[in-house]
Coordinates of all heavy atoms in Angstrom, one line a residue:
M28 N 15.0 34.2 5.9 CA 15.4 33.3 4.8 C 16.1 32.1 5.3 O 15.8 31.0 4.9 CB 16.2 34.1 3.8 CG 16.6 33.3 2.6 SD 15.1 32.9 1.6 CE 15.8 32.4 0.1
I29 N 17.0 32.2 6.2 CA 17.8 31.1 6.7 C 16.9 30.2 7.5 O 16.9 29.0 7.5 CB 19.0 31.6 7.6 CG1 20.0 32.3 6.7 CG2 19.6 30.4 8.3 CD1 21.1 33.0 7.4
R30 N 16.0 30.8 8.3 CA 15.0 30.1 9.1 C 14.1 29.2 8.2 O 13.8 28.1 8.5 CB 14.2 31.0 10.0 CG 13.2 30.3 10.9 CD 12.5 31.2 11.8 NE 13.4 31.3 12.9 CZ 13.1 31.9 14.1 NH1 11.9 32.5 14.2 NH2 13.9 32.0 15.1
T31 N 13.6 29.8 7.1 CA 12.8 29.0 6.2 C 13.5 27.9 5.6 O 13.0 26.8 5.4 CB 12.2 30.0 5.1 OG1 11.6 31.1 5.7 CG2 11.3 29.2 4.1
T32 N 14.8 28.1 5.2 CA 15.6 27.0 4.6 C 15.8 25.9 5.6 O 15.7 24.7 5.3 CB 16.9 27.6 4.1 OG1 16.6 28.6 3.2 CG2 17.7 26.5 3.4
A33 N 16.1 26.3 6.8 CA 16.4 25.3 7.9 C 15.1 24.5 8.2 O 15.2 23.3 8.3 CB 16.9 25.9 9.1
L34 N 14.0 25.1 8.2 CA 12.7 24.5 8.4 C 12.4 23.5 7.3 O 12.0 22.4 7.5 CB 11.6 25.5 8.6 CG 10.2 24.9 8.9 CD1 10.2 24.1 10.2 CD2 9.2 26.0 9.0
S35 N 12.6 23.9 6.1 CA 12.4 23.1 4.9 C 13.3 21.8 5.0 O 12.8 20.7 4.7 CB 12.7 23.8 3.6 OG 11.7 24.9 3.5
A36 N 14.5 22.0 5.3 CA 15.5 20.9 5.4 C 15.0 19.9 6.5 O 15.1 18.7 6.4 CB 16.9 21.4 5.7
L37 N 14.6 20.5 7.6 CA 14.1 19.6 8.7 C 12.9 18.8 8.3 O 12.8 17.6 8.6 CB 13.8 20.5 10.0 CG 13.2 19.7 11.2 CD1 14.2 18.7 11.7 CD2 12.8 20.7 12.3
M38 N 11.9 19.5 7.6 CA 10.7 18.8 7.2 C 11.1 17.6 6.2 O 10.5 16.5 6.3 CB 9.8 19.7 6.5 CG 9.1 20.7 7.6 SD 8.1 21.9 6.8 CE 6.8 20.9 6.1
L39 N 12.0 17.9 5.3 CA 12.5 16.8 4.3 C 13.1 15.7 5.1 O 12.9 14.5 4.7 CB 13.4 17.4 3.3 CG 12.8 18.3 2.2 CD1 13.8 18.9 1.3 CD2 11.8 17.4 1.4
A40 N 13.9 16.0 6.1 CA 14.5 14.9 6.9 C 13.5 14.0 7.6 O 13.6 12.8 7.7 CB 15.5 15.5 7.9
V41 N 12.5 14.7 8.2 CA 11.5 13.9 8.9 C 10.7 13.1 7.9 O 10.4 11.9 8.2 CB 10.5 14.9 9.6 CG1 9.3 14.2 10.1 CG2 11.2 15.6 10.8
L42 N 10.3 13.6 6.8 CA 9.6 12.8 5.7 C 10.4 11.6 5.2 O 9.9 10.5 5.1 CB 9.2 13.7 4.6 CG 8.1 14.7 4.9 CD1 7.9 15.6 3.7 CD2 6.8 14.0 5.2
A43 N 11.7 11.9 5.0 CA 12.6 10.8 4.6 C 12.7 9.7 5.6 O 12.7 8.5 5.3 CB 14.0 11.4 4.2
S44 N 12.8 10.1 6.9 CA 13.0 9.0 7.9 C 11.7 8.3 8.1 O 11.7 7.1 8.4 CB 13.4 9.7 9.2 OG 12.4 10.5 9.8
A45 N 10.5 9.0 8.0 CA 9.3 8.3 8.1 C 9.1 7.3 6.9 O 8.6 6.2 7.1 CB 8.1 9.3 8.1
A46 N 9.5 7.7 5.7 CA 9.4 6.7 4.6 C 10.3 5.5 4.7 O 9.9 4.4 4.4 CB 9.7 7.5 3.3
S47 N 11.5 5.7 5.3 CA 12.4 4.6 5.4 C 12.0 3.7 6.6 O 12.4 2.5 6.6 CB 13.8 5.1 5.7 OG 13.9 5.8 6.9
A48 N 11.1 4.1 7.5 CA 10.7 3.3 8.6 C 9.5 2.4 8.2 O 9.1 1.5 8.9 CB 10.2 4.2 9.7
R49 N 9.0 2.6 7.0 CA 7.8 1.8 6.5 C 8.3 0.4 6.1 O 9.3 0.3 5.5 CB 7.3 2.5 5.3 CG 6.1 1.9 4.6 CD 5.5 2.7 3.5 NE 5.0 3.9 4.0 CZ 5.4 5.1 3.7 NH1 6.4 5.3 2.9 NH2 4.8 6.2 4.3
P50 N 7.6 -0.6 6.6 CA 8.0 -2.0 6.2 C 8.0 -2.2 4.7 O 7.1 -1.6 4.0 CB 7.0 -2.9 6.9 CG 6.2 -2.0 7.8 CD 6.4 -0.6 7.4
S51 N 8.9 -2.9 4.2 CA 9.0 -3.1 2.7 C 8.7 -4.6 2.4 O 9.3 -5.5 3.0 CB 10.4 -2.7 2.2 OG 10.4 -3.0 0.8
T52 N 7.9 -4.8 1.4 CA 7.6 -6.2 1.0 C 8.9 -6.9 0.4 O 9.0 -8.1 0.5 CB 6.5 -6.2 0.0 OG1 6.9 -5.5 -1.2 CG2 5.2 -5.7 0.5
T53 N 9.8 -6.1 -0.1 CA 11.0 -6.7 -0.7 C 11.9 -7.3 0.3 O 12.8 -8.0 0.0 CB 11.7 -5.7 -1.6 OG1 12.1 -4.6 -0.8 CG2 10.9 -5.2 -2.7
Q54 N 11.7 -6.9 1.6 CA 12.5 -7.4 2.7 C 11.9 -8.6 3.4 O 12.4 -9.1 4.3 CB 12.8 -6.3 3.7 CG 13.5 -5.1 3.1 CD 14.9 -5.5 2.5 OE1 15.7 -6.2 3.1 NE2 15.2 -5.0 1.3
M55 N 10.6 -8.9 3.0 CA 9.9 -10.0 3.6 C 9.6 -11.1 2.6 O 9.6 -10.9 1.4 CB 8.5 -9.5 4.1 CG 8.5 -8.4 5.0 SD 6.8 -8.0 5.4 CE 6.8 -6.2 5.2
T56 N 9.4 -12.3 3.2 CA 8.9 -13.4 2.3 C 7.4 -13.1 1.9 O 6.8 -12.3 2.6 CB 9.0 -14.8 3.0 OG1 8.1 -14.8 4.1 CG2 10.4 -15.1 3.4
C57 N 6.9 -13.8 0.9 CA 5.6 -13.6 0.5 C 4.6 -13.9 1.7 O 3.7 -13.1 2.0 CB 5.2 -14.5 -0.7 SG 3.6 -14.2 -1.3
A58 N 4.8 -14.9 2.4 CA 4.0 -15.3 3.5 C 4.0 -14.2 4.6 O 3.0 -13.9 5.2 CB 4.4 -16.7 4.1
Q59 N 5.2 -13.7 4.9 CA 5.3 -12.6 5.9 C 4.5 -11.4 5.5 O 3.8 -10.8 6.3 CB 6.8 -12.3 6.2 CG 7.5 -13.3 6.9 CD 9.0 -13.0 6.9 OE1 9.6 -12.4 6.0 NE2 9.7 -13.5 7.9
A60 N 4.7 -11.0 4.2 CA 3.9 -9.8 3.8 C 2.4 -10.0 3.8 O 1.7 -9.1 4.3 CB 4.4 -9.5 2.3
R61 N 2.0 -11.1 3.4 CA 0.6 -11.5 3.5 C 0.1 -11.5 4.9 O -1.0 -11.0 5.2 CB 0.3 -12.8 2.8 CG -1.1 -13.3 2.9 CD -2.0 -12.6 1.9 NE -3.3 -13.2 1.9 CZ -4.4 -12.4 1.9 NH1 -4.4 -11.2 1.8 NH2 -5.6 -13.0 2.0
D62 N 0.9 -12.0 5.8 CA 0.5 -12.1 7.2 C 0.3 -10.7 7.8 O -0.6 -10.4 8.6 CB 1.5 -12.9 8.0 CG 1.1 -13.1 9.4 OD1 -0.1 -13.7 9.6 OD2 1.8 -12.8 10.4
V63 N 1.2 -9.7 7.5 CA 1.1 -8.4 8.0 C -0.2 -7.8 7.6 O -0.9 -7.2 8.4 CB 2.3 -7.5 7.4 CG1 2.0 -6.0 7.7 CG2 3.6 -8.0 8.0
V64 N -0.6 -8.0 6.3 CA -1.9 -7.4 5.9 C -3.1 -8.1 6.6 O -4.0 -7.4 7.0 CB -2.0 -7.5 4.3 CG1 -3.4 -7.1 3.8 CG2 -0.9 -6.7 3.6
L65 N -3.0 -9.4 6.7 CA -4.1 -10.1 7.4 C -4.3 -9.7 8.8 O -5.4 -9.5 9.3 CB -3.8 -11.6 7.3 CG -4.1 -12.3 6.0 CD1 -3.6 -13.8 6.0 CD2 -5.5 -12.2 5.6
R66 N -3.1 -9.5 9.6 CA -3.2 -9.2 11.0 C -3.7 -7.7 11.2 O -4.5 -7.5 12.1 CB -1.8 -9.3 11.6 CG -1.5 -10.7 12.1 CD -0.2 -10.8 12.9 NE 0.9 -10.6 11.9 CZ 1.8 -9.6 12.1 NH1 1.8 -8.8 13.1 NH2 2.8 -9.5 11.2
Q67 N -3.2 -6.8 10.3 CA -3.5 -5.4 10.6 C -4.8 -4.9 9.8 O -5.3 -3.9 10.2 CB -2.3 -4.5 10.2 CG -1.1 -4.8 11.1 CD 0.0 -3.8 10.8 OE1 -0.2 -2.7 10.2 NE2 1.2 -4.1 11.3
G68 N -5.2 -5.7 8.9 CA -6.4 -5.3 8.2 C -6.2 -4.3 7.0 O -6.6 -4.5 5.9
G69 N -5.6 -3.2 7.4 CA -5.2 -2.2 6.4 C -3.8 -1.6 6.8 O -3.6 -1.2 7.9
V70 N -2.9 -1.6 5.9 CA -1.5 -1.2 6.2 C -0.8 -0.6 5.0 O -1.1 -1.1 3.9 CB -0.7 -2.4 6.8 CG1 -0.6 -3.5 5.8 CG2 0.7 -2.0 7.3
V71 N 0.0 0.3 5.2 CA 0.9 0.9 4.1 C 2.2 0.2 4.1 O 2.9 0.1 5.2 CB 1.1 2.4 4.3 CG1 2.0 3.0 3.3 CG2 -0.2 3.2 4.3
L72 N 2.6 -0.4 3.0 CA 3.8 -1.1 2.9 C 4.6 -0.6 1.7 O 4.0 -0.2 0.7 CB 3.5 -2.6 2.6 CG 2.9 -3.4 3.7 CD1 2.5 -4.8 3.2 CD2 3.8 -3.5 4.9
G73 N 5.9 -0.5 1.9 CA 6.8 -0.2 0.8 C 6.9 -1.3 -0.2 O 6.8 -2.5 0.2
T74 N 7.0 -1.0 -1.5 CA 7.1 -2.1 -2.5 C 8.4 -2.0 -3.3 O 8.5 -2.6 -4.4 CB 5.9 -2.0 -3.4 OG1 5.8 -0.7 -4.0 CG2 4.6 -2.3 -2.7
G75 N 9.4 -1.4 -2.8 CA 10.7 -1.2 -3.4 C 11.0 0.2 -3.7 O 10.2 1.0 -4.2
G76 N 12.2 0.6 -3.4 CA 12.6 2.0 -3.6 C 11.8 3.0 -2.8 O 11.5 2.8 -1.6
Q77 N 11.3 4.0 -3.4 CA 10.4 5.0 -2.8 C 9.0 4.8 -3.0 O 8.1 5.7 -2.8 CB 10.8 6.4 -3.3 CG 12.3 6.8 -2.9 CD 12.5 6.9 -1.4 OE1 11.7 7.4 -0.7 NE2 13.6 6.3 -0.9
T78 N 8.6 3.6 -3.5 CA 7.2 3.3 -3.8 C 6.5 2.6 -2.7 O 7.1 1.8 -2.0 CB 7.0 2.5 -5.1 OG1 7.6 1.2 -4.9 CG2 7.6 3.2 -6.3
Y79 N 5.2 2.9 -2.5 CA 4.5 2.3 -1.4 C 3.0 2.4 -1.8 O 2.6 3.1 -2.7 CB 4.7 2.9 -0.1 CG 4.4 4.4 -0.1 CD1 3.1 4.9 0.3 CD2 5.3 5.4 -0.4 CE1 2.8 6.2 0.3 CE2 5.0 6.7 -0.5 CZ 3.7 7.1 -0.1 OH 3.4 8.5 -0.1
D80 N 2.2 1.6 -1.1 CA 0.7 1.6 -1.3 C 0.1 1.1 0.0 O 0.7 0.5 0.9 CB 0.3 0.7 -2.5 CG -0.9 1.2 -3.1 OD1 -1.7 1.9 -2.5 OD2 -1.2 0.8 -4.3
R81 N -1.2 1.3 0.0 CA -2.0 0.8 1.2 C -2.7 -0.5 0.7 O -3.4 -0.5 -0.3 CB -3.1 1.8 1.6 CG -3.9 1.3 2.7 CD -4.9 2.5 3.2 NE -5.7 2.0 4.3 CZ -6.9 1.5 4.2 NH1 -7.5 1.5 3.0 NH2 -7.6 1.1 5.3
F82 N -2.5 -1.5 1.5 CA -3.1 -2.8 1.2 C -4.1 -3.2 2.3 O -3.8 -2.9 3.5 CB -2.0 -3.9 1.1 CG -1.0 -3.5 0.1 CD1 0.2 -2.9 0.4 CD2 -1.2 -3.8 -1.3 CE1 1.2 -2.6 -0.6 CE2 -0.3 -3.5 -2.3 CZ 0.9 -2.8 -1.9
V83 N -5.1 -3.8 1.9 CA -6.2 -4.2 2.9 C -6.5 -5.7 2.8 O -6.3 -6.3 1.7 CB -7.5 -3.4 2.6 CG1 -7.2 -1.9 2.8 CG2 -8.0 -3.6 1.2
R84 N -7.0 -6.2 3.9 CA -7.4 -7.6 4.0 C -8.6 -7.9 3.1 O -8.7 -8.9 2.5 CB -7.6 -8.0 5.5 CG -8.1 -9.4 5.7 CD -8.3 -9.7 7.1 NE -9.0 -8.7 7.9 CZ -8.8 -8.4 9.1 NH1 -7.8 -8.9 9.8 NH2 -9.5 -7.5 9.7
D85 N -9.6 -7.0 3.2 CA -10.8 -7.2 2.4 C -11.5 -5.8 2.2 O -11.0 -4.8 2.7 CB -11.8 -8.2 3.1 CG -12.1 -7.8 4.5 OD1 -12.5 -6.7 4.8 OD2 -11.9 -8.6 5.4
R86 N -12.6 -5.8 1.5 CA -13.3 -4.6 1.2 C -13.8 -3.8 2.4 O -14.0 -2.6 2.3 CB -14.5 -4.9 0.2 CG -15.1 -3.7 -0.3 CD -16.3 -4.0 -1.3 NE -17.0 -2.8 -1.7 CZ -17.9 -2.3 -1.0 NH1 -18.3 -2.8 0.2 NH2 -18.5 -1.2 -1.4
S87 N -14.0 -4.4 3.5 CA -14.5 -3.7 4.7 C -13.5 -2.6 5.2 O -13.9 -1.7 5.9 CB -14.7 -4.7 5.8 OG -13.5 -5.2 6.4
F88 N -12.3 -2.6 4.7 CA -11.3 -1.6 5.0 C -11.2 -0.5 4.0 O -10.4 0.4 4.1 CB -9.9 -2.3 5.2 CG -9.8 -3.1 6.4 CD1 -10.1 -4.5 6.4 CD2 -9.5 -2.6 7.7 CE1 -10.1 -5.3 7.5 CE2 -9.5 -3.4 8.8 CZ -9.8 -4.7 8.7
C89 N -12.1 -0.5 3.0 CA -12.2 0.5 2.0 C -13.4 1.4 2.3 O -14.2 1.1 3.1 CB -12.5 -0.1 0.6 SG -11.2 -1.2 0.0
E90 N -13.4 2.6 1.6 CA -14.5 3.5 1.7 C -15.8 2.8 1.1 O -15.7 1.9 0.3 CB -14.3 4.8 1.0 CG -13.1 5.6 1.6 CD -13.5 6.1 2.9 OE1 -14.7 6.6 3.1 OE2 -12.6 6.1 3.8
P91 N -17.0 3.2 1.5 CA -18.2 2.5 1.0 C -18.4 2.5 -0.5 O -18.9 1.5 -1.0 CB -19.3 3.3 1.7 CG -18.7 4.0 2.9 CD -17.3 4.2 2.5
T92 N -17.8 3.5 -1.2 CA -18.0 3.5 -2.6 C -16.8 2.8 -3.4 O -16.8 2.7 -4.6 CB -18.1 5.0 -3.1 OG1 -16.9 5.7 -2.7 CG2 -19.3 5.6 -2.6
E93 N -15.9 2.3 -2.6 CA -14.7 1.7 -3.2 C -14.9 0.2 -3.3 O -15.6 -0.4 -2.5 CB -13.4 2.0 -2.5 CG -13.0 3.5 -2.5 CD -11.8 3.8 -1.7 OE1 -11.6 3.2 -0.6 OE2 -11.0 4.7 -2.1
I94 N -14.1 -0.4 -4.2 CA -14.1 -1.9 -4.3 C -12.6 -2.3 -4.1 O -11.7 -1.5 -4.1 CB -14.6 -2.4 -5.6 CG1 -13.8 -1.7 -6.8 CG2 -16.1 -2.1 -5.8 CD1 -14.1 -2.3 -8.1
G95 N -12.4 -3.6 -3.8 CA -11.1 -4.1 -3.6 C -10.5 -4.6 -5.0 O -11.2 -5.3 -5.7
R96 N -9.3 -4.3 -5.3 CA -8.6 -4.7 -6.5 C -7.4 -5.6 -6.0 O -6.7 -5.2 -5.1 CB -8.0 -3.6 -7.2 CG -7.3 -4.0 -8.5 CD -6.6 -2.8 -9.2 NE -7.6 -2.0 -9.8 CZ -7.4 -0.9 -10.4 NH1 -6.1 -0.4 -10.5 NH2 -8.3 -0.2 -11.0
R97 N -7.3 -6.8 -6.5 CA -6.2 -7.7 -6.1 C -4.9 -7.1 -6.3 O -4.6 -6.4 -7.2 CB -6.3 -9.0 -7.0 CG -7.5 -9.9 -6.7 CD -7.5 -11.0 -7.7 NE -7.8 -10.4 -9.0 CZ -7.9 -11.1 -10.1 NH1 -7.8 -12.4 -10.1 NH2 -8.2 -10.5 -11.3
A98 N -4.0 -7.3 -5.2 CA -2.7 -6.6 -5.2 C -1.6 -7.6 -5.2 O -1.6 -8.5 -4.3 CB -2.6 -5.7 -4.0
F99 N -0.7 -7.5 -6.1 CA 0.5 -8.4 -6.2 C 1.7 -7.5 -6.0 O 1.8 -6.4 -6.7 CB 0.5 -9.1 -7.5 CG -0.6 -10.1 -7.7 CD1 -1.8 -9.7 -8.2 CD2 -0.4 -11.4 -7.3 CE1 -2.9 -10.6 -8.4 CE2 -1.5 -12.3 -7.5 CZ -2.7 -11.9 -8.0
V100 N 2.6 -7.9 -5.2 CA 3.8 -7.0 -4.9 C 5.1 -7.9 -5.0 O 5.0 -9.1 -4.9 CB 3.7 -6.4 -3.5 CG1 2.5 -5.5 -3.4 CG2 3.7 -7.5 -2.4
P101 N 6.2 -7.3 -5.2 CA 7.5 -8.1 -5.1 C 7.8 -8.4 -3.7 O 7.7 -7.6 -2.8 CB 8.5 -7.1 -5.7 CG 7.9 -5.7 -5.5 CD 6.5 -5.9 -5.5
A102 N 8.2 -9.6 -3.5 CA 8.6 -10.1 -2.1 C 10.0 -10.6 -2.2 O 10.6 -10.8 -3.3 CB 7.7 -11.1 -1.6
R103 N 10.6 -10.9 -1.1 CA 12.0 -11.4 -1.1 C 12.1 -12.7 -1.9 O 13.1 -13.0 -2.5 CB 12.5 -11.6 0.3 CG 14.0 -11.9 0.4 CD 14.4 -11.9 1.9 NE 13.8 -13.1 2.5 CZ 13.6 -13.1 3.9 NH1 13.9 -12.1 4.6 NH2 13.0 -14.2 4.4
D104 N 11.1 -13.6 -1.8 CA 11.2 -14.9 -2.4 C 10.4 -15.1 -3.7 O 10.4 -16.1 -4.3 CB 10.7 -16.0 -1.4 CG 9.3 -15.7 -0.9 OD1 8.7 -14.6 -1.1 OD2 8.7 -16.7 -0.3
T105 N 9.7 -14.0 -4.2 CA 8.9 -14.1 -5.4 C 8.6 -12.7 -6.0 O 8.4 -11.8 -5.2 CB 7.6 -14.9 -5.2 OG1 6.9 -15.0 -6.5 CG2 6.7 -14.2 -4.2
P106 N 8.6 -12.6 -7.3 CA 8.4 -11.2 -7.9 C 6.9 -10.8 -7.9 O 6.6 -9.7 -8.0 CB 8.9 -11.3 -9.3 CG 8.9 -12.8 -9.6 CD 9.1 -13.5 -8.3
Q107 N 6.0 -11.8 -7.7 CA 4.5 -11.5 -7.8 C 3.9 -12.2 -6.6 O 3.5 -13.4 -6.7 CB 3.9 -12.0 -9.1 CG 4.4 -11.3 -10.3 CD 3.7 -9.9 -10.3 OE1 2.6 -9.7 -10.1 NE2 4.5 -8.9 -10.6
C108 N 3.7 -11.5 -5.5 CA 3.1 -12.1 -4.3 C 1.7 -11.5 -4.1 O 1.6 -10.2 -4.0 CB 4.0 -11.8 -3.1 SG 3.3 -12.2 -1.5
F109 N 0.7 -12.3 -3.9 CA -0.6 -11.8 -3.6 C -0.7 -11.5 -2.1 O -0.6 -12.4 -1.3 CB -1.7 -12.8 -4.0 CG -3.1 -12.4 -3.5 CD1 -3.8 -11.4 -4.2 CD2 -3.7 -13.0 -2.5 CE1 -5.0 -11.0 -3.8 CE2 -4.9 -12.6 -2.0 CZ -5.6 -11.6 -2.7
V110 N -0.8 -10.2 -1.8 CA -0.9 -9.8 -0.3 C -2.3 -9.4 0.1 O -2.5 -9.3 1.3 CB 0.1 -8.6 0.0 CG1 1.5 -9.1 -0.2 CG2 -0.2 -7.4 -0.9
G111 N -3.2 -9.2 -0.8 CA -4.5 -8.7 -0.4 C -5.1 -7.9 -1.5 O -5.0 -8.2 -2.7
Y112 N -5.6 -6.7 -1.1 CA -6.3 -5.8 -2.0 C -5.9 -4.4 -1.8 O -5.4 -4.0 -0.8 CB -7.8 -5.9 -1.9 CG -8.3 -7.4 -2.0 CD1 -8.4 -8.2 -0.9 CD2 -8.7 -7.8 -3.3 CE1 -8.8 -9.5 -1.1 CE2 -9.1 -9.2 -3.4 CZ -9.1 -10.0 -2.3 OH -9.5 -11.3 -2.5
T113 N -6.1 -3.6 -2.9 CA -6.0 -2.1 -2.7 C -7.4 -1.6 -3.0 O -8.2 -2.2 -3.7 CB -5.0 -1.5 -3.8 OG1 -5.4 -1.8 -5.1 CG2 -3.6 -1.9 -3.5
C114 N -7.7 -0.5 -2.3 CA -9.0 0.1 -2.5 C -9.0 0.9 -3.8 O -8.1 1.6 -4.1 CB -9.4 1.0 -1.3 SG -9.5 0.0 0.2
Y115 N -10.1 0.8 -4.5 CA -10.2 1.4 -5.8 C -11.6 2.0 -6.0 O -12.6 1.3 -5.8 CB -9.9 0.4 -6.9 CG -10.1 0.7 -8.3 CD1 -9.3 1.7 -8.9 CD2 -11.2 0.2 -9.0 CE1 -9.6 2.0 -10.3 CE2 -11.4 0.5 -10.3 CZ -10.6 1.4 -10.9 OH -10.8 1.8 -12.2
E116 N -11.7 3.2 -6.5 CA -12.9 3.9 -6.8 C -13.2 3.6 -8.3 O -12.6 4.2 -9.2 CB -12.8 5.4 -6.6 CG -14.1 6.1 -6.8 CD -15.1 6.0 -5.6 OE1 -14.7 6.0 -4.5 OE2 -16.3 5.8 -5.9
P117 N -14.2 2.8 -8.6 CA -14.5 2.4 -10.0 C -15.0 3.6 -10.8 O -15.8 4.5 -10.2 CB -15.5 1.3 -10.0 CG -16.1 1.4 -8.6 CD -15.1 2.0 -7.7
G118 N -14.7 3.7 -12.0 CA -15.2 4.8 -12.9 C -16.3 4.3 -13.8 O -16.7 3.2 -13.8
R119 N -16.8 5.2 -14.6 CA -17.9 4.9 -15.5 C -17.6 3.8 -16.5 O -18.4 3.0 -16.8 CB -18.3 6.1 -16.3 CG -19.1 7.1 -15.5 CD -19.6 8.2 -16.3 NE -20.5 9.0 -15.6 CZ -21.5 9.6 -16.1 NH1 -21.7 9.6 -17.4 NH2 -22.4 10.2 -15.3
G120 N -16.3 3.8 -17.0 CA -15.9 2.8 -18.0 C -15.6 1.4 -17.4 O -15.3 0.5 -18.2
D121 N -15.5 1.3 -16.1 CA -15.1 0.0 -15.5 C -16.3 -1.0 -15.6 O -17.5 -0.6 -15.4 CB -14.7 0.2 -14.1 CG -13.4 1.0 -14.0 OD1 -12.6 0.8 -14.8 OD2 -13.3 1.7 -13.0
R122 N -15.9 -2.2 -15.8 CA -16.9 -3.3 -15.8 C -16.5 -4.2 -14.7 O -15.3 -4.4 -14.4 CB -17.0 -4.0 -17.1 CG -17.4 -3.2 -18.2 CD -17.4 -4.1 -19.5 NE -16.3 -5.0 -19.6 CZ -15.4 -5.0 -20.5 NH1 -15.5 -4.2 -21.5 NH2 -14.4 -5.9 -20.5
F123 N -17.4 -4.9 -14.0 CA -17.1 -5.8 -13.0 C -16.3 -7.0 -13.6 O -16.6 -7.4 -14.7 CB -18.3 -6.4 -12.3 CG -19.0 -5.4 -11.4 CD1 -20.1 -4.7 -11.7 CD2 -18.4 -5.0 -10.2 CE1 -20.7 -3.7 -10.9 CE2 -18.9 -4.1 -9.3 CZ -20.1 -3.4 -9.7
G124 N -15.3 -7.4 -12.9 CA -14.4 -8.5 -13.4 C -13.2 -7.9 -14.1 O -12.2 -8.7 -14.3
D125 N -13.1 -6.6 -14.3 CA -11.9 -6.0 -14.9 C -10.8 -5.7 -13.9 O -9.7 -5.3 -14.2 CB -12.2 -4.7 -15.7 CG -13.0 -5.0 -17.0 OD1 -13.0 -6.1 -17.4 OD2 -13.5 -4.0 -17.5
F126 N -11.1 -5.8 -12.6 CA -10.2 -5.5 -11.6 C -10.1 -6.6 -10.7 O -9.9 -7.3 -10.0 CB -10.5 -4.2 -10.9 CG -12.0 -3.9 -10.9 CD1 -12.8 -4.4 -9.9 CD2 -12.5 -3.1 -11.9 CE1 -14.1 -4.1 -9.9 CE2 -13.9 -2.8 -11.8 CZ -14.7 -3.3 -10.9

C-alpha cells in the first residue's frame, strides 16, 4: 500500500513538472507565440493556468481527415492573438466556413 501511494505521488510530480515546462503564450508576445508555431510546425503551448492545446502552422500537420480551425490565444501583449490553427475533425452538422 505504501509503495503504491509513493508511486502515485511520484507520477503526479512528474506530470506536474512536465506541464509546468510547457511554454505558455501568456508569457510571450503575440509575435513570439506565432513564431514558435511557424518554426516548429506543430507544438503544444500552454494558454494560461493548466490549459494547453496543440497549435499547427497549417493543415499539413493535421491528420488526413482533419481540417484546421483558426486559433486565437491570450498573449502577454494582447488577449486575442492569432497563432495558427488547431486540428479539428468535422462532424455531420458542420458546414464549411463555420470554423
Side-chain angles (χ1 to χ4, degrees):
M28 181 68 165
I29 294 174
R30 180 174 274 190
T31 304
T32 304
L34 182 60
S35 296
L37 177 64
M38 289 175 64
L39 285 174
V41 169
L42 289 173
S44 67
S47 65
R49 182 175 291 118
S51 176
T52 61
T53 60
Q54 302 300 314
M55 300 181 230
T56 64
C57 184
Q59 289 170 330
R61 175 77 177 137
D62 187 54
V63 168
V64 175
L65 286 174
R66 277 185 290 124
Q67 295 187 17
V70 62
V71 176
L72 295 173
T74 56
Q77 297 296 317
T78 62
Y79 59 91
D80 207 343
R81 180 173 181 264
F82 302 98
V83 297
R84 175 175 50 217
D85 55 54
R86 187 179 174 276
S87 69
F88 292 90
C89 297
E90 293 294 320
T92 59
E93 294 177 325
I94 57 174
R96 179 186 288 176
R97 292 174 290 179
F99 294 87
V100 298
R103 188 173 68 206
D104 58 345
T105 182
Q107 291 288 314
C108 171
F109 173 73
V110 292
Y112 303 89
T113 56
C114 297
Y115 171 71
E116 184 77 42
R119 286 183 168 214
D121 292 326
R122 298 183 319 239
F123 289 103
D125 287 349
F126 28 86

